[in-house]
Amino acid sequence: MTTIRQRRGGKVTEAAEHQPSEEKNVKSDGKVLSDHTGGKLRNILSLTLGGIVAIGLGLLTSVYVATLHENDLWFSNIKEVEREISFRTECGLYYSYYKQMIQAASIQQGLHALVYDNKTESVRTINILERMNVYQEVFLSILYRILPIQQYLEPVYFYIYTLFGLQAVYVIALYVTSWLLSGTWLSGLLAACWYITNRIDTTRVEFTIPLRENWALPFFAVQIAAITYLLRTHLQPAQERLTLLAVFIATFLFSLTWQFNQFMMLIQALALFIPDCFDMLPTAKVTWLYIIQISGLLLVCVLQFFNSMILGSLLISFNASVLIARAIQKNLKKGNLLNRLGKLILHVLLVLSLTLLVNKFIKKSLNLESDEHIFKFLKAKFGFGATRDFDANLYLCEEAFGLLPLNTFSRLSDTLLFYIYIFSLFPMTAAALIVAFRNLSGSNQVQEKAEEYTIILKPDAAYNLIHTVLFGCLALSTMRMKYLWTSHMCVFASFGLCSTEVWRLILKCVHLYTSQRTQVIKYSIPIITLLYISYKFWPGIMDELSELREFYDPDTVELMNWIKSNTPNTAVFAGSMQLLAGVKLCTGRTLTNHPHYEDKHLRERTKQIYQIYAKRSPEDVYRILRSFGTDYVILEDSICYERRHSRGCRLRDLLDIANGHIMDGLGENEPDLKPSLYPRFCEEIKKNLPSYTLHFTRVFQNKTFHVYKLAKHK
């Protein structure tokens, strides 16, 4: 009995001892369940609130730029011809195809006129859908024709509202990217506010609406957001497939809407290639991204009737070379430091060599020369020899293709954006170097030292770091490309300011780290920054929105009205590229040349047409113009007597150099340049000398333009 009692007692005691524990476990499980439910509810509320804020900010940005456009031009009040003239240079050319599709008798006839176009380049039939990225105009015109909105909305408003609406997509994509990187939508809010307050340096949509980049950059931002999400760890297979689909769609739309897509995506491919070489990105996902870039570009190539410039792009050659090099070097990421470093150097050399060989083979096979002017420009820009090439110098002398002006940084610093961008960039770059060395070495000791850095360089952060550095280099070298950098700068700076990992690292370095302190700083500093931006820039934004101006260009309006009233519909006009785009849009007349410069024959034609501003005989100019079927030539005083550029960069100087003639004005000339036998055509023709009136008759003149009709000699 005693034994039994002892056993029973032991069991009773054991049971008694375990009972409170079980009750405790039940309570603990209940608490965990409660915490889980509460956490899930908080996440849903945060996601909902963050989403509402993102959509709200996107819509506000659209309204903001639309209001600025209206206030600047009084667009709702000016005449139709003035609205069209406001789409200057190449913008007018692109919009003309939208107008052409709207006015066509049917969609089929409109498409046929684009595929067999003989009005954009005289005495030549070209395929507009092949040569130019105007599918967006085609799609929008078809949408306008089939939707029951013609009675309520003019075609021009449908067009510009679509572009302003895309600004909402742009801002939301930037917001989401920053949110994904930092884990808090407060970061997205800050990125969007910086985008708006730095509008001068982040977008020019309000005054260059039809420009290709205004169509393309919103899709590029969506693609970056999708890539950032794709590079997160622990994605479910279904999530990964949907994200890859989103990346493909965004890549395709970006490629379809901008002719310079291949160059931007080449830099993006490098932004994937560099961290992948150092084992910072999941190789399988990077491979998919390479394939998506190639697939998107090839699909655009098919839609553009196998545009040769796409087939010969460096992007296709580079991505194909990376995939081939990987297949050859299968053990690239194995071995000790020296072994891996040697393999990496060999891999880079192999990829670069294959890229050049593949690209040269494609271009030679297809006889491609469409983009040669870009490489001539780059060669001259970076000091690989002086050039007298007219096309290269035409780019070199434009401010937009020069170095990024220093005053850009002062404007970006006023909103604290540049300071915080640098603040975020330095520690992350240092962390990237340490992680790269650790990954190459595989040393436990190095790994222990780098462990605290690893967390702030997750794959999505590593990609965005290299992305911002490479696009920063592009912007510094070419001002026109700053819009690719400054928008991502907003994302990266807001991510750095709201990142737990960055603050943890900084506080650990100064021995002040605690979890609570990190959380306080992570939220308080961004909120203080937002308050500062609101306080400093809100009054300026309100003043800007209240400032009312009006479009005023009476000379150009008078010229366009005269052309429509006094010349036949079949008349062919010669002149500057920029002006002729407006002539096509406003009057529908046939052109000799235009601003879309990605064609070798057009570049040669433009150089010939521009002899009207060179030192050539009237007989030479007449012969050149008539060879392109010209009926009328428009001379502009602003070009003939140009003062906007310094000596050596005026259009007449570029023509003189290309023709081997000494330039006008005081200054040095290269020793092999010779005086011309003839005076400058655009000046001498105004004297009405017999040698000029024999071939040219002035039929229109105002303070800016002079129009001459060409005689039709047998």
Side-chain angles (χ1 to χ4, degrees), residues 3 195 314 331 355 389 403 439 482 501 525 594-595 604 676:
T3 305
Y195 178 85
L314 276 173
N331 297 319
T355 300
D389 184 77
L403 300 177
N439 290 348
K482 72 176 179 179
E501 292 81 5
I525 299 295
H594 55 82
E604 292 172 350
S676 174

Side-chain angles (χ1 to χ4, degrees), residues 518-710:
T518 303
Q519 291 301 312
V520 169
I521 293 175
K522 172 185 174 179
Y523 291 106
S524 60
I525 299 295
I527 290 171
I528 292 170
T529 305
L530 281 168
L531 291 173
Y532 167 79
I533 293 172
S534 302
Y535 173 77
K536 186 171 182 180
F537 294 97
W538 183 257
I541 290 173
M542 290 297 101
D543 290 342
E544 191 178 33
L545 288 172
S546 63
E547 187 177 353
L548 303 177
R549 290 181 292 271
E550 183 180 357
F551 176 85
Y552 185 74
D553 189 355
D555 290 349
T556 307
V557 170
E558 184 184 12
L559 172 67
M560 297 305 171
N561 286 333
W562 180 87
I563 291 173
K564 285 193 288 186
S565 303
N566 297 277
T567 64
N569 292 335
T570 56
V572 178
F573 278 80
S576 70
M577 297 183 289
Q578 294 80 5
L579 179 63
L580 290 184
V583 170
K584 184 180 188 309
L585 171 58
C586 297
T587 71
R589 301 304 188 261
T590 303
L591 313 180
T592 54
N593 56 312
H594 55 82
H596 194 273
Y597 219 49
E598 279 64 57
D599 179 76
K600 183 182 179 182
H601 297 293
L602 177 65
R603 292 194 294 272
E604 292 172 350
R605 176 187 282 225
T606 298
K607 182 181 174 182
Q608 289 298 306
I609 296 294
Y610 276 6
Q611 297 304 311
I612 59 179
Y613 296 110
K615 297 172 183 176
R616 299 291 294 268
S617 70
E619 292 79 15
D620 283 347
V621 174
Y622 176 80
R623 176 181 51 78
I624 290 168
L625 293 177
R626 285 303 298 164
S627 69
F628 298 118
T630 307
D631 297 311
Y632 298 87
V633 60
I634 308 173
L635 295 171
E636 301 171 61
D637 286 347
S638 59
I639 298 178
C640 190
Y641 308 106
E642 182 184 357
R643 294 186 181 136
R644 184 168 68 94
H645 291 104
S646 60
R647 184 177 184 270
C649 266
R650 299 169 298 189
L651 180 62
R652 63 179 186 266
D653 296 336
L654 302 184
L655 290 163
D656 288 344
I657 293 170
N659 292 339
H661 296 154
I662 291 174
M663 293 184 288
D664 294 336
L666 299 175
E668 295 183 359
N669 287 281
E670 293 185 28
D672 62 326
L673 295 179
K674 308 294 182 184
S676 174
L677 297 175
Y678 304 98
R680 194 165 304 281
F681 177 84
C682 63
E683 295 176 357
E684 200 71 8
I685 193 174
K686 295 170 187 175
K687 298 178 182 178
N688 291 323
L689 299 174
S691 57
Y692 289 84
T693 56
L694 178 65
H695 305 293
F696 303 94
T697 304
R698 185 163 57 199
V699 291
F700 175 84
Q701 176 184 4
N702 63 22
K703 291 184 293 183
T704 305
F705 305 105
H706 304 263
V707 181
Y708 293 86
K709 185 176 182 179
L710 275 70

Side-chain angles (χ1 to χ4, degrees), residues 424 427-432 435 451-462 495 499-505:
S424 305
M428 292 198 68
T429 302
V435 171
E451 188 174 349
E452 61 179 322
Y453 298 93
T454 307
I455 192 169
I456 72 162
L457 209 69
K458 294 175 289 189
D460 53 356
F495 153 56
S499 171
T500 302
E501 292 81 5
V502 170
W503 284 114
R504 182 188 294 134
L505 174 60

